[in-house]
Amino acid sequence: MSAKRVVTFTVNGDQVEILCEPRQSLLEVLRDDLDLTGTKEGCSNGNCGACTVIMDGRPVVSCLVLAVEAEGAELRTIEGVACGSTLDEVQAAFLEGAALQCGICTPGIIVQTEALLEENPNPTEDDVRFYLAGNLCRCTGYDKIVRAVQAAAEKRQVAASN
Amino acid sequence: MATAENPKYKVIGTRPIRHDGADKVTGRARYGADIQLSGMLYGAMLRSPHAHANIKSIDTSKAEALPGVRAVATSADLPEQGDRVVELGEGAANMRHLTANVLARGKVLYRGHSIAAVAADNIHIAEEAIKLIEVEYELLPPVMDVVGAMAENAPVLNDDIRTESVGSAPPAKDSKPTNVAKHFLFEKGDVAAGFAEADIIVEREFDTAMVHQGYIEPHNATVLWNTDGKLTVWISTQGSFTVRQQTAELLKIPISNVKVIPTEIGGGFGGKISVYLPPVAAVLSKKTGRPVKLVMSRTNVFEATGPTPGSHMKVKLGATKDGKLVAGEAWIAFEAGAYTGSPIGPACMCVFACYDLPHGRVEGFDVCVNKPRTNAYRAPGSTHVAFATETLVNEICEKIDVDPAEFRINNAAKEGVRRVDGPVYARVGMVETVEAIKNSEHYKTALEGKYRGRGIASGFWFNCGLKSAASATVNPDGTVSLLEGSTDIGGSRTGIAMQLAEALGITAEEVIPAVGDTDSVGYCDVTGGSRVTFATGIAAIEAAKDIQRQLVDRAAMIWEVDSSHVSYSDGGVHGPDGKQLSFKEMAAKLHGTGGAVIGRGTSSEATQGGAFGTHCVDVEVDVDLGKVQILRYTAAQDAGTAIHPSYVEGQMQGGAVQGIGWALNEEYWYDEQGEMRNSTYLDYRIPTCYDVPMIDTIIVEVPDPQHPYGVRGVGEVPICPPPAAIANAIYDAVGVRMHDLPMSPPKLLAEILKK
Ligand code: FES
Ligand code: FES
């Protein structure tokens, strides 16, 4: 075991400084050290997308990022999606559209959707399906997820044009 | 607001936002692995690299010496179970097998079988310590194939298993041990005479691979063994009461010493009923005096939980040339895995369950092989047999030139029909689901294009009743706090709350549902068998009626009349001379009229009326690659009465897509040594968003007379039809009949090239 390192980054706008082992993944540090357990672990090898967070504007699977690699990064997790006590359009659309069942995939999918809508505010069904293909959901069959993403995109566009 | 579809009801049939929604879209909901307790240790487990071996010795001394390691456990730390068979709320279990599955005793029976566990200051130390445990094995030949395992000279996995023939005398204790743990036989009518009447008989052999439920959340358990001898278990499970009982039995302590706190759960589909981790975490906690958390890796989940069996089946169907089914015969062998317990029984009961079959014979075998002990997976056993029967039905239809929907309608199971295994159907909706497909836009629109084809198939599941309990407390502001014991995997607490709301005449939002722990709520059987909305729903309705009775008494007291002159309807109490008080007004008077009003309800129904579904699918086959693309999909299902239609649709869509995965991609890949070679999501490929189209749904409502609102469970049926529907569509597209699941590109391509 090599020596612990100090790592500094921001999470959802807050500056944090932690002491971690080089072998610890960003996922582990978020969940175990920072108690940000909204980011989920489904496989720990990059295959399921449950651990998706946004790192410097890009969605990443946090199980494949070492915490030390996050030095200086700006991170956004599911806990930073809502605006205070108001849900954002994606979260609201998931609830209105019943786009979750067990909900374990939901944080990762919502975060991935935030990244999608940032890049492409008006995605087609195919765009949505392609962008979310790394986020597994075993419960819903994806139908209501895709619809919720499109509903959120529409809402956001309407809001932007007003 | 009443819906157009169901003006009879005010709440039922509407689509309120689920009560746990805000927690689940903000990351606030706590699942099993999210539990953090002060002083908590992290555990890891050593698992067998071999499929079949005797354990000669285990040396844990080096692991124990590693700094940061707090305790090591092996099966020596769990009590001997002897020959006990215990009813565990999910069927009877042989305790010797159960404990050996939790921590191997002298022998490992599958790759991934747990051998020892470590608790340490962090997960990395625990994982390092595991590698320091030395185990000496004596390798034995693995038995990986169900038919091979039945052979006379096959290596035998368990020396205490002898064939139990269901309904016959138990096997003699001194008879030779075997891998065939169970034998089922069901007969109806005279099969030989039935086939003699047939103008056409088709008989085929089918194989299906072992598949996993694939829930995204791995198994977990956190246990504190307190100094007073009481255990607390935090776990994501389909049944907190069965976890309590299994844990208590495995540790040989009273159930009242175990409190199970169910966390939110990230999917189960039948795979989160068996107990794997709690007794191990308990032993480690006892040794250290600290809470211990164990979480499986994805590979552990694949290799060492309870997937659903692979199978070998021979099925034969006979029909007259004018399209009447006359006889059927099935021979079904299921992989039990290491220990007995596959869903072979239900498979035998489901194989011809969609049809009115005058003559039938079904034989089934539960066979041990060197794979993990299998478990339920959504309509356990029914998908396998639907694949066989439903492709044979289409083959018959083709040979006698009858529309497959028409044929299904003409031969459908309906009220009064007796299944081959005995029970007679009450009012069921098989015909209605086929008609729904037949009349659908999808079925009526011709499919065009090369290498494209369409298929339909039906499926059946019993749906369980079993035991549920709920209590409901009226709050002074006119809301109701509902406590029930069914862990909520897909929005069920809202479905149950809606039934309570309907019964009291309040809104869904005025009910605050919660899932209680085993010390705070009455006994509830598992969330499985499509039972929760039905059975826990009935318990909630009973609790509402109990509240009604108490409010009637309170109103009688206020109005100084006899309670026989007061009644409850339309969301309030009504007395003589037009006196009335709304539920809300009564709630406001609670404190002045005797304090809290708490309703309680239980239900204990042996079974539900059963449910059917019929699916229609269009595919396109890439004839160069053997790859199948799903173009369009429609699922019709009898939901009895849909409480929350969005979540009914969600069950249908999710089940259909799991069935698509089973049909086309998913399989356990073992090498000759019995090592699973695809134990990651990358290689065990479940459907992604990009693999499937929208899943259109048609909810058919033929109310189940056993439920006050007519509910039928909806969770399981939708996984049954997809493999057969897709096989039928593939035939329509390229003219090859597939008899082997999954119908993966190499297999399909090989069949196409044979043509
Ligand atoms: S946990 Fe990171 S991708 Fe699955
Ligand atoms: S809702 Fe359960 S995995 Fe997506």
Side-chain angles (χ1 to χ4, degrees):
Chain A
M1 188 178 67
S2 41
K4 289 195 173 185
R5 312 241 183 114
V6 176
V7 180
T8 314
F9 47 71
T10 64
V11 187
N12 305 322
D14 294 338
Q15 181 90 21
V16 297
E17 191 179 77
I18 53 151
L19 198 56
C20 70
E21 292 180 34
R23 63 184 170 184
Q24 283 185 282
S25 68
L26 177 59
L27 174 63
E28 182 186 340
V29 164
L30 287 172
R31 288 177 52 80
D32 292 354
D33 296 56
L34 300 174
D35 200 24
L36 291 169
T37 55
T39 304
K40 300 301 177 193
E41 174 171 348
C43 68
S44 255
N45 55 10
N47 299 151
C48 78
C51 63
T52 304
V53 301
I54 294 176
M55 183 166 164
D56 295 328
R58 223 160 42 90
V60 295
V61 280
S62 61
C63 67
L64 294 189
V65 176
L66 291 171
V68 291
E69 293 178 274
E71 174 62 43
E74 249 177 61
L75 299 170
R76 188 170 178 218
T77 69
I78 184 67
E79 287 88 351
V81 171
C83 182
S85 59
T86 312
L87 296 179
D88 95 329
E89 297 88 346
V90 180
Q91 293 170 312
F94 269 61
L95 289 186
E96 277 153 25
L100 56 142
Q101 283 176 32
C102 79
I104 197 85
C105 67
T106 309
I109 291 184
I110 287 176
V111 168
Q112 184 78 13
T113 301
E114 296 293 344
L116 163 67
L117 298 185
E118 199 63 42
E119 273 178 42
N120 178 357
N122 190 15
T124 62
E125 180 188 337
D126 198 65
D127 293 339
V128 175
R129 289 189 180 276
F130 188 76
Y131 205 91
L132 294 183
N135 291 77
L136 299 178
C137 172
R138 191 57 157 173
C139 299
T140 63
Y142 304 106
D143 182 304
K144 293 188 190 306
I145 292 177
V146 175
R147 290 178 202 277
V149 171
Q150 291 195 285
E154 210 181 300
K155 240 201 225 169
R156 203 170 267 186
Q157 287 212 303
V158 171
S161 65
N162 283 341
Chain B
M1 6 134 222
T3 57
E5 303 100 65
N6 222 334
K8 233 164 90 188
Y9 300 118
K10 286 205 176 69
V11 179
I12 289 172
T14 63
R15 301 174 188 242
I17 302 264
R18 61 195 276 171
H19 297 81
D20 55 335
D23 279 352
K24 288 197 170 144
V25 296
T26 54
R28 213 158 263 136
R30 290 264 167 179
Y31 293 75
D34 303 336
I35 296 297
Q36 302 276 4
L37 301 168
S38 50
M40 189 174 81
L41 299 173
Y42 293 78
M45 294 180 79
L46 174 69
R47 293 173 180 279
S48 171
H50 307 298
H52 198 187
N54 287 321
I55 300 173
K56 309 274 281 182
S57 65
I58 305 176
D59 181 354
T60 60
S61 54
K62 286 188 188 138
E64 280 162 57
L66 187 73
V69 168
R70 304 291 174 153
V72 180
T74 65
S75 61
D77 297 299
L78 288 172
E80 283 283 349
Q81 293 288 341
D83 266 332
R84 298 196 307 143
V85 172
V86 175
E87 179 52 54
L88 292 175
E90 58 141 346
N94 175 316
M95 290 305 298
R96 183 195 302 179
H97 296 161
L98 204 63
T99 192
N101 200 32
V102 167
L103 280 170
R105 285 182 114 79
K107 200 176 182 196
V108 287
L109 291 175
Y110 54 95
R111 156 107 184 179
H113 200 155
S114 52
I115 295 171
V118 170
D121 291 347
N122 67 45
I123 185 68
H124 304 286
I125 299 173
E127 278 168 359
E128 269 172 47
I130 283 302
K131 295 188 195 130
L132 300 175
I133 298 175
E134 286 162 6
V135 183
E136 205 188 323
Y137 299 97
E138 176 196 9
L139 297 190
L140 299 167
V143 187
M144 303 307 293
D145 145 65
V146 68
V147 177
M150 296 175 83
E152 191 57 35
N153 54 356
V156 172
L157 274 69
N158 295 286
D159 60 12
D160 61 348
I161 286 185
R162 295 172 178 82
T163 309
E164 254 179 68
S165 280
V166 174
S168 312
K173 280 249 183 283
D174 56 356
S175 57
K176 213 175 126 222
T178 158
N179 293 322
V180 182
K182 278 197 189 115
H183 172 229
F184 287 80
L185 176 63
F186 297 112
E187 283 181 302
K188 175 188 171 188
D190 180 341
V191 182
F195 280 112
E197 285 171 37
D199 300 309
I200 169 137
I201 296 175
V202 285
E203 180 174 14
R204 302 276 174 245
E205 296 196 23
F206 299 86
D207 287 285
T208 71
M210 176 173 268
V211 293
H212 199 274
Q213 299 84 353
Y215 33 78
I216 306 299
E217 179 205 33
H219 292 250
N220 55 72
T222 305
V223 178
L224 172 64
W225 193 315
N226 215 338
T227 47
D228 57 4
K230 304 272 192 198
L231 265 75
T232 308
V233 181
W234 293 261
I235 186 171
S236 49
T237 174
Q238 289 178 245
S240 30
F241 287 90
T242 187
V243 169
R244 176 176 77 169
Q245 198 184 351
Q246 291 182 60
T247 305
E249 298 284 1
L250 284 161
L251 298 168
K252 286 196 163 171
I253 57 175
I255 54 166
S256 53
N257 278 17
V258 181
K259 167 160 136 178
V260 176
I261 302 179
T263 63
E264 296 299 339
I265 167 172
F269 314 110
K272 285 190 186 148
I273 298 172
S274 281
V275 150
Y276 305 102
L277 302 176
V280 181
V283 166
L284 292 169
S285 177
K286 189 177 187 189
K287 288 186 169 202
T288 57
R290 291 164 63 172
V292 176
K293 172 151 100 175
L294 283 171
V295 180
M296 286 193 188
S297 71
R298 179 55 49 184
T299 293
N300 293 163
V301 171
F302 277 120
E303 290 187 340
T305 60
T308 221
S311 67
H312 181 74
M313 303 175 278
K314 282 180 240 175
V315 182
K316 180 175 166 186
L317 273 181
T320 60
K321 56 179 177 306
D322 51 355
K324 194 82 201 116
L325 272 177
V326 285
E329 196 169 356
W331 184 100
I332 310 162
F334 268 17
E335 296 170 334
Y339 307 100
T340 174
S342 80
I344 182 65
C348 292
M349 300 173 196
C350 289
V351 60
F352 300 129
C354 289
Y355 299 102
D356 178 3
L357 192 68
H359 307 284
R361 184 176 196 277
V362 182
E363 210 174 350
F365 301 88
D366 189 29
V367 186
C368 295
V369 294
N370 290 112
K371 298 183 183 179
R373 181 198 181 264
T374 58
N375 251 322
Y377 176 20
R378 212 166 191 158
S382 191
T383 305
H384 305 73
V385 294
F387 173 55
T389 302
E390 293 295 300
T391 50
L392 291 187
V393 163
N394 270 41
E395 203 176 332
I396 288 180
C397 291
E398 190 209 355
K399 293 206 161 118
I400 59 173
D401 197 20
V402 175
D403 173 71
E406 206 54 52
F407 183 92
R408 283 176 172 81
I409 292 169
N410 291 339
N411 289 285
K414 48 172 104 54
E415 190 168 358
V417 166
R418 190 163 80 77
R419 262 197 339 251
V420 174
D421 57 302
V424 176
Y425 287 113
R427 180 78 173 91
V428 289
M430 167 72 181
V431 172
E432 288 81 353
T433 68
V434 189
E435 277 170 349
I437 286 297
K438 203 177 151 219
N439 299 328
S440 67
E441 193 45 45
H442 183 172
Y443 200 72
K444 288 199 292 205
T445 309
L447 175 65
E448 278 160 23
K450 214 172 171 200
Y451 305 129
R452 292 181 165 195
R454 174 171 296 164
I456 68 164
S458 298
F460 163 80
W461 186 247
F462 317 87
N463 293 343
C464 305
L466 304 178
K467 296 168 290 300
S468 281
S471 64
T473 305
V474 181
N475 297 313
D477 63 355
T479 59
V480 178
S481 300
L482 167 67
L483 193 62
E484 41 99 357
S486 292
T487 54
D488 178 358
I489 316 187
S492 61
R493 77 195 100 185
T494 295
I496 295 160
M498 288 171 73
Q499 296 178 61
L500 180 103
E502 184 74 46
L504 287 177
I506 60 178
T507 66
E509 292 74 16
E510 285 166 332
V511 182
I512 306 146
V515 179
D517 64 58
T518 54
D519 281 353
S520 63
V521 64
Y523 182 87
C524 267
D525 277 310
V526 298
T527 298
S530 300
R531 62 175 292 279
V532 168
T533 306
F534 173 90
T536 312
I538 293 177
I541 296 166
E542 288 300 317
K545 286 189 196 156
D546 193 17
I547 289 175
Q548 290 181 4
R549 282 190 289 272
Q550 295 177 51
L551 293 183
V552 161
D553 288 345
R554 298 275 174 109
M557 201 176 78
I558 296 168
W559 293 328
E560 296 180 349
V561 297
D562 191 82
S563 32
S564 62
H565 298 296
V566 183
S567 64
Y568 192 100
S569 62
D570 295 331
V573 283
H574 304 268
D577 314 320
K579 286 195 181 66
Q580 55 177 332
L581 284 166
S582 70
F583 179 81
K584 215 179 179 111
E585 288 165 331
M586 282 304 295
K589 293 183 190 298
L590 285 186
H591 294 330
T593 58
V597 165
I598 304 168
R600 60 196 169 90
T602 59
S603 74
S604 177
E605 301 279 335
T607 170
Q608 303 178 39
F612 295 84
T614 301
H615 293 191
C616 180
V617 60
D618 295 347
V619 304
E620 183 172 280
V621 179
D622 181 328
V623 290
D624 296 321
L625 297 174
K627 186 176 182 297
V628 176
Q629 189 65 38
I630 308 287
L631 302 174
R632 185 172 182 184
Y633 204 101
T634 305
Q637 189 176 323
D638 176 15
T641 298
I643 299 292
H644 191 310
S646 297
Y647 287 96
V648 173
E649 293 158 6
Q651 289 295 322
M652 293 165 68
Q653 292 163 335
V657 169
Q658 282 186 324
I660 290 170
W662 195 338
L664 295 177
N665 298 315
E666 297 180 32
E667 65 183 310
Y668 271 53
W669 247 86
Y670 282 101
D671 64 16
E672 272 146 40
Q673 278 71 48
E675 182 179 342
M676 186 181 179
R677 302 308 295 265
N678 62 335
S679 57
T680 66
Y681 272 141
L682 193 62
D683 299 318
Y684 182 98
R685 202 173 172 288
I686 72 174
T688 72
C689 204
Y690 204 55
D691 294 325
V692 288
M694 292 297 185
I695 307 293
D696 295 333
T697 55
I698 306 171
I699 300 176
V700 173
E701 293 185 303
V702 178
D704 184 342
Q706 269 174 275
H707 184 282
Y709 301 129
V711 169
R712 289 181 201 271
V714 294
E716 288 168 292
V717 172
I719 200 173
C720 306
I726 293 169
N728 291 334
I730 291 173
Y731 178 77
D732 190 38
V734 292
V736 301
R737 289 236 177 250
M738 298 299 290
H739 300 116
D740 196 350
L741 291 184
M743 299 174 283
S744 52
K747 282 196 241 166
L748 179 53
L749 188 60
E751 290 302 316
I752 291 171
L753 292 176
K754 267 191 221 161
K755 261 192 47 169

